[in-house]
Amino acid sequence: MYVEIHKALHLQKISHTMIEISYTSIEFWFCTLFIVVASIQILYYLFFYFRVCLIKRKELPVVPTVPVSVIVCAKNEEENLRKFLPLLLEQDYPDFEVIVVNDCSEDDSEYVLNDFLAKYKNLRVSTIKKDEKFSHGKKLAITVGIKAAKNNVLLFIDADCRPCSSRWLYLMQQQFRDKKELVLGYGAYAPKKGFLDKIVRYDTYSIAVNYMSFAHAGIPYMGVGRNMGYTKNVYEHSSKFSSHYHILSGDDDLFVSEVGNRSNTTMILNRDSFTLSEQVSSFRNWKFQKRRHLTTSPNYSFFVKLLLGLEPLSRELFYLCTLLFCIFLPKTMMLPILILLGVRMFLFFLISFLNLRRLKEKGLWIFALLFDIYLPIQIGLLQIQNIIHPFKKQW
């Protein structure tokens, strides 16, 4: 009897020891994961995102101006053309033309443009007629606009956008120096009331911080078609969209990814060089817009996809580990965990504050933590939706 009790106690002791070892092992790997993802996050903030604060703030020394062609693609944009086209045609610049490509519009865009043609000598219009046997996207309209352009320096803005100042064209053109042939600007959204406004503007800000900081680090992978420029020479030496013509988007990001490099790409973050676009009217429309934009990301290079995917993955794992850390309070590696947690959150709030101020995005900082957690989840769900139900809508 005594022997059996002794064996039972011994087995119970072994069992408790195994459980303790198992728990310690799980705790160790959990803490190791936290240290890894927190370190990755800190590296992104220090090596990439802080760079937005370093992009030159002051205007460059005055240089002789060169003729510029501004290209606007418009499809059923009658009201926007009426409101915003004069802001382009009246830019404070000595020698430029504005080319509007009227792409199969079914509204009164043609009559609006004819009225402007009678008033402005620097306006030119190219029209694409509708063909029931041939469907096309925005890339054809851009190609038509480039072919119609007389000048080597090309600037691009959307029909529903307006430049923030009459000096937009001058400031953008000023960047084409020192062998720079690709200029990335910031395309913001006009503030509105409501929570959707915060989502739209913070998402736009996050995207800009990504592509600006990557370009500053010598890895240009995208721009936004509502505010960018490049030379006709760069276009002529590219695939001219043929390598990704079958993709809905890509006239801006895939083109930049193809032709951009450390030596020929530059950025501008002067407030007067920004453009403002009208926001979508509903959360459903925003998701629709995001799904269309996400159709291009699978075509980035493997290295860019790795960099763009690693950050949100490590971010979500960081927040998950932080939550578990607060619940279970592991004793293993407590000090390095607290240090990394504090450093990452300090960098997040500081750099977010500086970058939001640099991009003149007011009222978003208090939502930064919420959107930092939420947006990668929402975008991930939209990417899964694109895989299950491929996006087919044209522009």
Side-chain angles (χ1 to χ4, degrees):
M1 185 70 175
Y2 173 78
V3 174
E4 290 179 356
I5 293 174
H6 181 73
K7 287 182 177 180
L9 291 173
H10 183 65
L11 289 172
Q12 187 177 15
K13 184 178 180 180
I14 292 173
S15 177
H16 281 302
T17 302
M18 291 179 66
I19 292 172
E20 185 176 345
I21 293 173
S22 177
Y23 176 78
T24 303
S25 178
I26 292 173
E27 184 180 88
F28 171 79
W29 287 113
F30 159 67
C31 293
T32 301
L33 175 63
F34 181 88
I35 290 172
V36 170
V37 296
S39 299
I40 291 172
Q41 284 287 294
I42 291 170
L43 285 173
Y44 269 88
Y45 277 93
L46 291 177
F47 187 76
F48 288 114
Y49 302 151
F50 185 66
R51 290 174 178 271
V52 173
C53 304
L54 303 178
I55 296 173
K56 294 179 180 179
R57 297 171 181 267
K58 297 180 180 180
E59 292 183 30
L60 296 169
V62 176
V63 295
T65 58
V66 298
V68 176
S69 296
V70 180
I71 297 174
V72 184
C73 299
K75 187 179 182 71
N76 297 323
E77 297 280 5
E78 170 191 352
E79 291 302 320
N80 286 324
L81 288 172
R82 186 176 283 114
K83 287 190 297 183
F84 302 141
L85 193 54
L87 299 178
L88 290 176
L89 292 164
E90 297 170 8
Q91 284 285 298
D92 185 10
Y93 197 80
D95 186 2
F96 72 103
E97 62 178 357
V98 175
I99 300 170
V100 177
V101 182
N102 187 16
D103 188 8
C104 305
S105 296
E106 297 176 343
D107 58 4
D108 289 335
S109 294
E110 180 180 357
Y111 301 106
V112 172
L113 290 171
N114 284 337
D115 289 341
F116 282 133
L117 281 169
K119 184 178 180 182
Y120 296 98
K121 295 181 179 181
N122 58 338
L123 174 63
R124 300 174 62 200
V125 176
S126 295
T127 302
I128 301 176
K129 297 294 184 180
K130 189 172 183 179
D131 186 343
E132 298 295 341
K133 297 180 180 180
F134 175 69
S135 62
H136 62 272
K138 185 180 179 181
K139 291 169 191 171
L140 176 63
I142 292 175
T143 302
V144 169
I146 292 173
K147 289 185 178 298
K150 296 179 179 179
N151 305 311
N152 183 51
V153 174
L154 311 172
L155 297 182
F156 298 85
I157 187 171
D158 286 346
D160 63 346
C161 295
R162 63 183 183 273
C164 283
S165 79
S166 62
R167 301 177 68 246
W168 167 75
L169 198 159
Y170 170 75
L171 291 170
M172 292 291 287
Q173 177 272 330
Q174 202 182 31
Q175 309 307 309
F176 289 91
R177 62 170 72 202
D178 301 327
K179 299 182 180 179
K180 302 300 183 184
E181 295 190 278
L182 177 59
V183 178
L184 308 180
Y186 181 51
Y189 281 96
K192 293 171 63 176
K193 293 182 179 180
F195 192 65
L196 177 62
D197 162 77
K198 308 300 184 294
I199 296 176
V200 171
R201 289 198 292 124
Y202 193 90
D203 178 54
T204 303
Y205 149 80
S206 299
I207 293 170
V209 167
N210 261 307
Y211 74 75
M212 289 282 186
S213 60
F214 276 52
H216 193 272
I219 316 170
Y221 75 93
M222 74 163 286
V224 289
R226 57 187 182 273
N227 192 9
M228 64 182 291
Y230 48 85
T231 64
K232 188 177 286 189
N233 181 60
V234 161
Y235 173 78
E236 292 296 338
H237 286 86
S238 72
S239 68
K240 302 179 181 179
F241 307 135
S242 62
S243 62
H244 47 84
Y245 190 81
H246 60 289
I247 303 169
L248 296 178
S249 299
D251 52 275
D252 42 20
D253 53 355
L254 292 183
F255 182 81
V256 170
S257 182
E258 177 188 349
V259 305
N261 56 56
R262 182 185 295 273
S263 61
N264 74 352
T265 305
T266 189
M267 298 72 62
I268 178 171
L269 286 181
N270 185 309
R271 168 62 178 169
D272 287 342
S273 72
F274 294 175
T275 61
L276 284 176
S277 300
E278 298 298 301
Q279 290 191 29
V280 292
S281 57
S282 68
F283 184 66
R284 181 180 179 181
N285 288 342
W286 176 75
K287 290 196 296 182
F288 178 88
Q289 185 183 70
K290 290 297 296 181
R291 285 191 63 197
R292 179 170 63 84
H293 292 163
L294 288 170
T295 59
T296 62
S297 57
N299 295 275
Y300 294 155
S301 70
F302 173 78
F303 180 61
V304 169
K305 286 192 287 188
L306 178 63
L307 288 176
L308 293 178
L310 183 61
E311 193 283 322
L313 176 62
S314 63
R315 190 196 318 176
E316 295 303 317
L317 287 174
F318 169 82
Y319 285 121
L320 177 61
C321 288
T322 300
L323 177 63
L324 294 175
F325 175 76
C326 293
I327 295 173
F328 297 107
L329 292 175
K331 299 177 182 178
T332 306
M333 297 182 282
M334 176 74 77
L335 183 59
I337 284 177
L338 289 175
I339 292 173
L340 289 172
L341 175 61
V343 170
R344 192 277 179 184
M345 296 310 297
F346 173 77
L347 289 174
F348 166 71
F349 284 115
L350 174 65
I351 294 177
S352 295
F353 174 79
L354 294 174
N355 287 344
L356 284 166
R357 187 174 67 172
R358 183 74 197 277
L359 295 176
K360 308 298 181 183
E361 294 290 4
K362 298 180 180 180
L364 295 182
W365 191 70
I366 59 173
F367 298 97
L369 182 59
L370 171 63
F371 292 144
D372 198 52
I373 299 171
Y374 162 72
L375 280 174
I377 297 173
Q378 177 62 76
I379 292 171
L381 292 174
L382 294 176
Q383 287 175 322
I384 293 172
Q385 190 175 354
N386 273 3
I387 293 172
I388 298 174
H389 303 291
F391 194 91
K392 298 180 180 179
K393 182 72 175 178
Q394 291 288 339
W395 87 293

